Amino acid sequence: MHKQHHISTLYHQPYTFSRLHQRMSITSPHSHSTISPTPSADITNVSEKLTLAQKTSVDIDKLRDGYRPAAKRGAILFFVLTEMALSLPSGSLTDRLQNIMYALTYNVYNYGCTGNLSLEKSHRKKPCDWLTEQSWEDVVKLSELLPEQFSSLPDDVETHSDDWKSWYDLDAPEKSTFPRTYQESLTVFQRLLLLRCFRVDRVYRAVTDYVTVTMGEQYVQPPVISFDAIYRKSSPFSPIVFILSPGSDPATDLMKLAERTGFGDNKFKFLAMGQGQEKVALQLLDKAVSRGQWLMLQNCHLLVKWLKELEKSLERITKPHPAFACGSPPTPSRTSPSAFCRSLSSLVYVLAFFHAVVQERRKYGKIGWNVPYDFNESDFFVSESSGSISKDEHISQVAQDIQLKLPALFDLDVIRKKLGADVSPTSVVLLQELERFNRLVVRMQRSLAELRRALAGEVGMSSELDEIARALFNGHIPAVWKRLAPDTLKSLGNWMDHFRRRHQQYHQWVEQGEPQVMWLSGLHIPESYLTALVQTACRKNGWPLDLTTLYTQVTKYRSEEEVLDRPTQGEDTHMLFRVGLYLEGADWDMEQGCLIRSKPKVLVVELPILHIIPIETRRLRLQSFSSSGDSVSSECVVFVLDRTPFGPRCTPRLCAGNAMGVGLVFEADLSTAVHLSHWVLQGVCLYLNTD
């Protein structure tokens, strides 16, 4: 209590001198009436002392105020100690144990929620059919990231679905009033975020309008390249580097510039670079420097290593002819010397920043943007939660989260005994798939354990572990895992969902037999399973393997639950129901059972469950197209991923693929009421994955 008394004194002391002054003022008149008159000198002396006392009081107040932070800290500590005394173990052990269990339970709950957040999707059910699953995920995510502006957004969409659908169906929703009060309550940039959730196809137009309004129209109109302006800004000491896109060639424009500036004929030298041209180029360079010529070196990307020698030669030039100029039009290369690329660093930074803010995370790689890039939860973590936990802590948390989700290895010896001696072709595929899956799980377990030890300082951080750490932090799949997994462009979170679903299908296959409806996307090599399906049919029916193929029919089923029991006897036992195919460039009419035009704003749709049937080639008779518009069958290619380097090419039956066959799984027969060339021009194809 001594500390409390001292604090009280500090707070009450300012009033001491004012009360003394008041007391002296009141009693002074009485002293004149009871005591003999005081000489004027004494009165003056008292007055001076009062004035000095007031000044001293002010000085003391100022000094005392300087100690107020210490007094405040003392008061806080006193009351903290008081509260701690109240929380000491009481006579009731039951109450204390209950408090401890409550605290432990709540802490574990918080930790669990934190650990699972980065890889789990929203569990809130989508309230309306017209909204895609991804759009609903984005709506929920936006409400979590910016709760001040969007906390009620999911409820608004659910409650006022008609208002949002009317706005969603507009041709240009970014130019119309946003539903509810969002038009008035949001900034222009926040309205961009809202538009991004519902209409990804309009983001580019909206961003263009946003940049035009905030910065000016000149920032959305690429400047016209002026070779005259480039020449005026150049000097004999620095080369002009042209970084070309495919199909562009500045040679013609440079020749015209040379004619206009008096460097035509023999004053403009060209050399197409290639093997053995290095010395010739350096000789031409020396002549051009001394004689004042223009020198253009073409196809420099073919000699990337030699460019460093060219760079050194240019640096050694001290007294060039005033008219000398050197031009080099390489295509972009990661190994180009720094001097050639240094001027691009600012441009790359601005482009990367714009990419991170605006770029769509997974969809529309070749349709919406030039380069696909995953803007994932770790990017949100860096931008929204900077400083909350360290980078290493975040990586360790993600690594632990993945470790907890890894399944046990499949016991292949037990499974082989269960299958018996007479192993079917599809069972062979199962064993191969499980062996590959086990290798992936073991690699993930080992690398995650080593990474966590390295982050804790128990072992050194190797280059491989450093790459894994960077991948986890950026939400990417580590390269050492990718090499053991099916090809994918998924982000880490979506890949883990895919990983768990693959394990579920394998487990069901082992425990309950071959699935009634096969999810081909979950197989490491889906082509091998289709081949095994054909082999099974050939064994059963005595067909020649080289004269047997696959035929497909689109069913009326939308989900696995709708599929009836799979046939168990007769010729149809080798048929396969296939789920999880995605159609791009067209839609599917359930009633007519044929391809139709895509709906507005819908680029990719999920195909109903596909029936895959092995059949003898001689029995396969696809109908020819007729002018009467009768339904015909066309063939559509099926790819593993949703981004392929080549588009479709026409054959007598609608067929597609790329030059190397990369990504091609099989060809599906789809019914159409128009000529198959229509869908070839539309670029129609099927994907096993949309990301």
Side-chain angles (χ1 to χ4, degrees):
M1 295 303 293
H2 174 71
K3 289 185 178 179
Q4 186 179 18
H5 174 72
H6 175 65
I7 295 168
S8 177
T9 303
L10 286 176
Y11 279 111
H12 288 81
Q13 202 170 8
Y15 298 98
T16 305
F17 291 97
S18 61
R19 290 173 179 171
L20 175 61
H21 184 198
Q22 185 180 21
R23 189 181 304 113
M24 293 179 67
S25 300
I26 294 173
T27 57
S28 293
H30 294 284
S31 62
H32 285 292
S33 62
T34 58
I35 304 174
S36 60
T38 306
S40 59
D42 293 341
I43 296 175
T44 302
N45 188 27
V46 170
S47 178
E48 289 175 354
K49 289 182 178 180
L50 288 173
T51 303
L52 179 61
Q54 290 179 342
K55 183 177 180 301
T56 304
S57 176
V58 173
D59 293 340
I60 292 175
D61 287 344
K62 185 181 297 185
L63 289 172
R64 184 171 55 250
D65 287 342
Y67 288 91
R68 286 188 182 275
K72 182 178 180 181
R73 173 62 62 88
I76 293 172
L77 293 176
F78 170 79
F79 289 111
V80 166
L81 290 173
T82 303
E83 292 295 328
M84 288 179 64
L86 296 176
S87 64
L88 289 176
S90 62
S92 176
L93 179 61
T94 304
D95 293 341
R96 177 160 175 75
L97 290 176
Q98 187 156 354
N99 291 337
I100 292 174
M101 288 188 289
Y102 171 79
L104 285 174
T105 304
Y106 189 68
N107 287 338
V108 171
Y109 167 76
N110 282 338
Y111 180 80
C113 291
T114 304
N116 293 328
L117 179 62
S118 62
L119 297 176
E120 293 293 344
K121 293 186 176 182
S122 169
H123 295 292
R124 184 166 179 173
K125 187 177 180 181
K126 182 167 65 79
C128 38
D129 296 335
W130 54 269
L131 194 62
T132 64
E133 290 289 348
Q134 185 59 54
S135 293
W136 178 244
E137 291 288 339
D138 293 341
V139 166
V140 175
K141 187 65 179 178
L142 185 61
S143 68
E144 295 171 355
L145 290 174
L146 299 174
E148 292 185 9
Q149 295 82 11
F150 298 102
S151 60
S152 62
L153 180 59
D155 294 332
D156 286 344
V157 174
E158 186 171 356
T159 307
H160 306 284
S161 176
D162 292 341
D163 294 343
W164 286 98
K165 186 178 186 304
S166 299
W167 174 76
Y168 171 83
D169 288 334
L170 295 173
D171 291 335
E174 74 280 0
K175 296 184 180 298
S176 303
T177 302
F178 282 68
R180 314 301 299 162
T181 60
Y182 290 96
Q183 183 72 27
E184 299 80 16
S185 61
L186 301 180
T187 64
V188 178
F189 186 77
Q190 288 168 351
R191 289 200 291 270
L192 277 179
L193 300 179
L194 186 59
L195 177 70
R196 159 67 180 75
C197 293
F198 291 89
R199 292 287 300 273
V200 177
D201 60 309
R202 299 300 301 177
V203 170
Y204 178 79
R205 181 69 258 174
V207 170
T208 303
D209 294 341
Y210 174 76
V211 174
T212 302
V213 172
T214 55
M215 300 180 66
E217 191 173 1
Q218 66 270 25
Y219 289 99
V220 297
Q221 294 180 347
V224 179
I225 295 178
S226 171
F227 283 86
D228 294 272
I230 294 174
Y231 174 65
R232 287 194 297 269
K233 295 177 182 178
S234 66
S235 72
F237 291 96
S238 57
I240 301 173
V241 181
F242 298 94
I243 299 179
L244 308 178
S245 57
S248 59
D249 185 3
T252 303
D253 292 317
L254 285 174
M255 292 178 64
K256 293 179 181 178
L257 175 64
E259 293 290 341
R260 292 196 300 270
T261 53
F263 283 89
D265 300 329
N266 293 327
K267 291 186 178 181
F268 192 6
K269 302 296 183 181
F270 289 85
L271 179 63
M273 299 304 297
Q275 188 174 3
Q277 296 296 312
E278 300 92 332
K279 292 183 179 179
V280 178
L282 293 178
Q283 292 172 359
L284 288 176
L285 177 63
D286 291 337
K287 292 180 181 179
V289 170
S290 60
R291 299 177 183 178
Q293 298 173 341
W294 286 13
L295 174 62
M296 183 176 181
L297 304 177
Q298 298 175 298
N299 300 328
C300 289
H301 62 285
L302 300 178
L303 298 171
V304 173
K305 293 182 179 179
W306 176 80
L307 288 179
K308 296 181 180 179
E309 186 177 346
L310 174 62
E311 181 182 347
K312 293 178 181 178
S313 299
L314 292 170
E315 291 174 350
R316 287 194 292 266
I317 297 175
T318 56
K319 295 181 180 180
H321 192 285
F324 165 69
C326 178
S328 172
T331 55
S333 173
R334 293 183 180 180
T335 55
S336 298
S338 59
F340 283 89
C341 301
R342 198 174 295 122
S343 61
L344 299 177
S345 59
S346 299
L347 176 62
V348 171
Y349 174 80
V350 173
L351 179 61
F353 184 82
F354 173 79
H355 217 219
V357 174
V358 181
Q359 175 71 305
E360 159 58 7
R361 286 175 40 165
R362 289 178 300 276
K363 299 179 185 175
Y364 317 119
K366 58 184 178 293
I367 300 175
W369 304 95
N370 291 331
V371 180
Y373 169 76
D374 283 341
F375 189 79
N376 45 67
E377 295 202 6
S378 63
D379 297 313
F380 289 119
F381 165 79
V382 173
S383 59
E384 301 292 334
S385 306
S386 178
S388 59
I389 62 174
S390 69
K391 178 180 178 180
D392 287 353
E393 289 173 334
H394 174 70
I395 295 172
S396 180
Q397 195 175 82
V398 173
Q400 183 183 23
D401 188 18
I402 296 175
Q403 273 187 307
L404 295 174
K405 297 178 185 298
L406 292 180
L409 298 178
F410 289 101
D411 193 330
L412 297 183
D413 292 334
V414 173
I415 296 173
R416 288 191 183 97
K417 290 180 180 179
K418 182 179 179 180
L419 293 174
D422 188 14
V423 181
S424 67
T426 54
S427 296
V428 172
V429 172
L430 170 62
L431 292 172
Q432 294 171 345
E433 290 284 326
L434 295 181
E435 187 176 355
R436 295 187 185 96
F437 191 79
N438 277 354
R439 283 202 295 267
L440 173 60
V441 173
V442 170
R443 192 69 187 88
M444 292 173 68
Q445 289 173 340
R446 184 186 306 130
S447 58
L448 290 172
E450 292 175 353
L451 175 62
R452 295 187 65 193
R453 291 184 63 198
L455 292 173
E458 298 176 5
V459 296
M461 180 72 76
S462 65
S463 58
E464 180 180 291
L465 293 179
D466 186 55
E467 188 277 330
I468 295 174
R470 283 199 307 270
L472 296 185
F473 183 74
N474 294 320
H476 299 159
I477 308 169
V480 292
W481 300 357
K482 265 191 172 183
R483 289 195 289 267
L484 299 176
D487 290 338
T488 182
L489 297 174
K490 295 179 183 293
S491 63
L492 180 60
N494 287 338
W495 185 78
M496 283 302 299
D497 290 337
H498 187 269
F499 176 85
R500 290 198 298 272
R501 189 177 172 190
R502 286 181 63 202
H503 177 265
Q504 290 172 0
Q505 177 164 273
Y506 289 144
H507 185 267
Q508 178 188 352
W509 195 344
V510 170
E511 297 298 326
Q512 304 175 16
E514 195 171 341
Q516 179 177 345
V517 180
M518 180 64 72
W519 178 52
L520 283 183
S521 308
L523 301 180
H524 191 107
I525 306 179
E527 306 95 297
S528 63
Y529 179 79
L530 296 176
T531 302
L533 200 67
V534 173
Q535 291 174 344
T536 302
C538 291
R539 286 186 183 182
K540 181 177 181 62
N541 300 294
W543 298 340
L545 183 60
D546 58 340
L547 297 178
T548 306
T549 186
L550 292 173
Y551 177 66
T552 63
Q553 291 177 338
V554 181
T555 70
K556 299 288 186 179
Y557 307 130
R558 283 288 186 184
S559 65
E560 298 180 39
E561 291 75 15
E562 298 178 37
V563 180
L564 301 176
D565 292 339
R566 187 173 181 177
T568 56
Q569 60 181 1
E571 192 174 294
D572 292 334
T573 55
H574 47 267
M575 292 182 179
L576 167 70
F577 289 100
R578 165 69 182 90
V579 68
L581 280 173
Y582 300 91
L583 182 64
E584 181 182 301
D587 201 347
W588 185 259
D589 190 325
M590 288 288 289
E591 294 183 0
Q592 300 296 326
C594 63
L595 290 169
I596 56 174
R597 287 192 60 182
S598 298
K599 296 183 177 65
K601 305 180 290 293
V602 180
L603 301 181
V604 179
V605 297
E606 185 171 1
L607 193 73
I609 290 179
L610 191 69
H611 202 179
I612 301 179
I613 311 165
I615 189 173
E616 289 183 282
T617 307
R618 63 182 178 81
R619 296 176 56 196
L620 182 62
R621 296 290 183 268
L622 294 180
Q623 300 176 18
S624 300
F625 175 76
S626 62
S627 58
S628 61
D630 295 335
S631 177
V632 300
S633 181
S634 66
E635 192 172 89
C636 183
V637 71
V638 181
F639 287 112
V640 174
L641 304 175
D642 70 338
R643 297 171 179 89
T644 52
F646 298 93
R649 54 182 174 82
C650 185
T651 66
R653 297 168 65 196
L654 178 58
C655 182
N658 70 33
M660 301 299 295
V662 176
L664 179 63
V665 180
F666 70 99
E667 293 164 352
D669 303 294
L670 302 179
S671 224
T672 173
V674 297
H675 196 279
L676 57 86
S677 61
H678 173 80
W679 305 115
V680 174
L681 296 175
Q682 292 287 330
V684 177
C685 61
L686 288 167
Y687 301 127
L688 298 185
N689 298 286
T690 57
D691 55 5

